[in-house]
């Protein structure tokens, strides 16, 4: 691994967690574990993943909804960087122009995510339209409501795309996240 790509991870109780990006090509990571005078090296192979949608397709459909619907106040920029937060609560993970997954977070409290419920649900609808899945919007919104009502994880698959909701209580507010990714 090149020096500029090295990361040091803290180990707790002999375990650690490393998150790796979804990419359209196979990725190989080298993990080097050091304990006193012993060093162990392991190669991790992460297989290539399917893209969710091209950024151009997502942006075109999303911004069309933004322009035609008064209830959506979020628009997408002309281009994005890898793992870019568009606005608080709206993150796009990409590999170049390939959108690999999308993470939306809703909370009625400022600075936690999208605070307008219409922006949250209309963002879901706009994303589903870019994925040619708008006919199943009711199914996805039912999963959202189930997650919010029961404060639990709930996922639904539409056209080989997973919509995974999770709702937790964070004291004064509930926080709902939605991760959208291809199967």
């Amino acid at each position: 691994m090149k020096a500029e790509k090295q990361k040091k991870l803290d180990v707790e109780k002999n375990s650690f967690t490393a998150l790796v990006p979804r990419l359209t090509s196979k990725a190989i990571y080298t993990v080097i574990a050091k304990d006193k005078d012993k060093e162990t090296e392991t190669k991790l192979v992460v297989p290539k993943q399917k893209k969710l949608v091209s950024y151009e397709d997502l942006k075109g459909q999303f911004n069309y909804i933004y322009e035609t619907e008064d209830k959506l106040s979020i628009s997408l920029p002309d281009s994005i960087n890898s793992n870019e937060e568009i606005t608080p609560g709206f993150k796009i993970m990409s590999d170049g122009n390939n959108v690999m997954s999308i993470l939306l977070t809703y909370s009625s409290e400022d600075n936690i995510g999208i605070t307008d419920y219409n922006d949250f649900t209309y963002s879901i609808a706009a994303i589903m339209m870019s994925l040619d899945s708008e006919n199943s919007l009711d199914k996805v919104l039912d999963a959202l409501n189930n997650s919010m009502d029961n404060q639990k994880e709930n996922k639904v698959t539409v056209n080989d795309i997973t919509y995974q909701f999770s709702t937790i209580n964070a004291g004064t507010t509930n926080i709902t996240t939605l991760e959208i990714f291809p199967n």
Side-chain angles (χ1 to χ4, degrees):
M1 185 181 282
K2 294 180 182 175
E4 67 268 13
K5 293 190 176 188
Q6 287 186 351
K7 298 268 183 166
K8 184 175 181 175
L9 300 173
D10 292 326
V11 177
E12 188 174 308
K13 296 182 182 177
N14 293 326
S15 66
F16 65 92
T17 302
L19 299 174
V20 295
R22 296 173 66 94
L23 300 173
T24 55
S25 58
K26 179 173 79 171
I28 300 173
Y29 297 92
T30 302
V31 177
I32 301 171
K34 295 180 182 179
D35 183 26
K36 298 179 185 169
D37 295 330
K38 185 178 177 186
E39 183 174 295
T40 305
E41 184 175 302
T42 304
K43 296 220 182 274
L44 299 175
V45 178
V46 180
K48 70 180 184 175
Q49 304 291 312
K50 294 186 283 184
K51 74 176 182 177
L52 183 62
V53 65
S54 76
Y55 182 71
E56 291 302 313
D57 290 345
L58 174 65
K59 178 185 74 171
Q61 186 61 56
F62 198 95
N63 287 348
Y64 173 77
I65 300 300
Y66 166 75
E67 292 168 5
T68 59
E69 280 294 332
D70 291 338
K71 294 186 178 185
L72 180 60
S73 65
I74 299 170
S75 65
L76 299 183
D78 287 337
S79 63
I80 59 167
N81 296 317
S82 175
N83 303 328
E84 183 160 334
E85 188 166 41
I86 303 302
T87 187
F90 192 134
K91 189 170 185 177
I92 296 175
M93 283 64 74
S94 64
D95 181 11
N97 189 45
N98 299 309
V99 174
M100 304 305 289
S101 64
I102 299 171
L103 180 65
L104 300 176
T105 304
Y106 168 75
S107 173
S108 59
E109 264 187 35
D110 285 340
N111 300 323
I112 294 179
I114 298 171
T115 57
D116 184 306
Y117 188 71
N118 283 328
D119 275 340
F120 187 68
T121 56
Y122 274 77
S123 292
I124 294 169
I127 292 165
M128 289 188 73
M129 290 181 84
S130 72
L131 299 171
D132 295 325
S133 300
E134 65 271 14
N135 291 337
S136 297
L137 179 60
D138 288 343
K139 183 178 180 181
V140 171
L141 293 179
D142 285 345
L144 165 63
N145 291 331
N146 187 355
S147 177
M148 293 177 90
D149 291 345
N150 299 309
Q151 293 185 5
K152 66 175 192 172
E153 187 174 294
N154 195 7
K155 68 181 173 180
V156 63
T157 301
V158 175
N159 297 348
D160 287 327
I161 297 168
T162 298
Y163 298 81
Q164 184 169 317
F165 294 95
S166 180
T167 301
I168 61 168
N169 181 283
T172 59
T173 188
N174 288 338
I175 300 171
T176 300
T177 59
L178 166 60
E179 186 176 4
I180 304 168
F181 54 91
N183 289 347

